[in-house]
Amino acid sequence: TFDAARLAEYLSLGVDRFSVGVQSFNEAHLQACGRSHQVADVHAAVAAVRAAGARSWSLDLISGLPQLTMDEWRASLRAAVDADPCHVSVYDLQVEEGTPFARWQDSGRLSFPPDDSAAAMYAEAVSILTAAGYEHYEVSNYAKPGHRSRHNQVYWRRLPYYAFGVGAASYLGGARYSRPAKLQQYLDWVQQRAAAAAAAAPQQHQQLHGERSGGA
């Protein structure tokens, strides 16, 4: 979904921060996890972000992936540092019931690193990223000076925020509101709300006109 033309359009609309969903710089692990992108796509996305002149951008990695070794994890961390993002998120894979990972684990198709190995991978991420100049400002997040994620900080403080797009979730009035996760469902959802807003507009205009006339 990253290309120079699309990124330039986002920048023209005022978007000034981008996130590249890398997960791993290892081809075999991307395939094992069912990811649709390849390592070459990651490098192309990074090049596109740089070419677009984005002010701030982030990438994410996932530790605890099936069959992930410490050497492979270090290689992904170093590749992330070489990519020189402004921000890095490092998440430990959590296997939840009802997910493909849970089914693969139950069937014996995939094996995951034990807890002590996952903890060691977390410590290795802290060591490599902080040595590279990233501030470990949150459990899973690292930033260069001036590039902390405001959303992450708002999220952990349970402050309200708006979100836009497929599958996006807003948090308002102490409640979380999610958009449809499928593109066509999301487009239908937007059209329904646009139609409702258009239908309500004349009534709102008439009510406002009445209030102004009554107050004259």
Side-chain angles (χ1 to χ4, degrees):
T1 56
F2 272 79
D3 59 69
R6 185 171 299 180
L7 288 172
E9 185 173 356
Y10 288 151
L11 287 167
S12 72
L13 294 172
V15 176
D16 62 0
R17 188 178 179 101
F18 299 90
S19 179
V20 182
V22 175
Q23 286 93 58
S24 175
F25 282 91
N26 183 292
E27 204 77 68
H29 292 304
L30 290 176
Q31 293 178 1
C33 296
R35 295 298 191 258
S36 60
H37 67 272
Q38 299 176 337
V39 174
D41 299 320
V42 170
H43 292 301
V46 169
V49 169
R50 287 176 171 166
R55 182 192 66 81
S56 187
W57 68 282
S58 175
L59 65 77
D60 67 65
L61 296 175
I62 300 179
S63 63
L65 292 172
Q67 285 86 43
L68 179 64
T69 67
M70 181 61 81
D71 286 343
E72 291 168 335
W73 178 234
R74 288 192 188 102
S76 271
L77 288 167
R78 288 168 180 154
V81 170
D82 290 342
D84 198 31
C86 306
H87 184 280
V88 180
S89 295
V90 177
Y91 303 111
D92 183 50
L93 179 66
Q94 301 296 311
V95 179
E96 299 180 356
E97 290 297 324
T99 64
F101 279 118
R103 293 193 294 271
W104 296 338
Q105 184 178 45
D106 293 342
S107 67
R109 172 182 165 185
L110 295 176
S111 61
F112 298 85
D115 289 345
D116 58 345
S117 294
M121 290 179 188
Y122 177 86
E124 192 68 10
V126 174
S127 176
I128 290 177
L129 293 172
T130 55
Y134 291 90
E135 175 196 7
H136 188 196
Y137 73 96
E138 195 185 72
V139 174
S140 301
N141 292 286
Y142 305 77
K144 289 185 176 180
H147 291 278
R148 286 186 178 190
S149 169
R150 284 183 290 176
H151 169 74
N152 288 343
Q153 295 176 92
V154 165
Y155 183 86
W156 286 108
R157 293 169 184 164
R158 299 181 66 84
L159 298 175
Y161 57 86
Y162 290 101
F164 305 91
V166 179
S170 299
Y171 184 75
L172 301 168
R176 191 170 185 269
Y177 302 91
S178 296
R179 278 76 174 164
K182 300 291 186 180
L183 178 58
Q184 189 55 55
Q185 294 174 357
Y186 174 75
L187 294 174
D188 293 341
W189 180 86
V190 170
Q191 290 175 353
Q192 290 168 5
R193 275 146 188 79
Q203 298 176 5
Q204 293 172 348
H205 177 74
Q206 184 176 9
Q207 181 182 4
L208 179 61
H209 179 72
E211 290 174 352
R212 287 176 175 173
S213 298

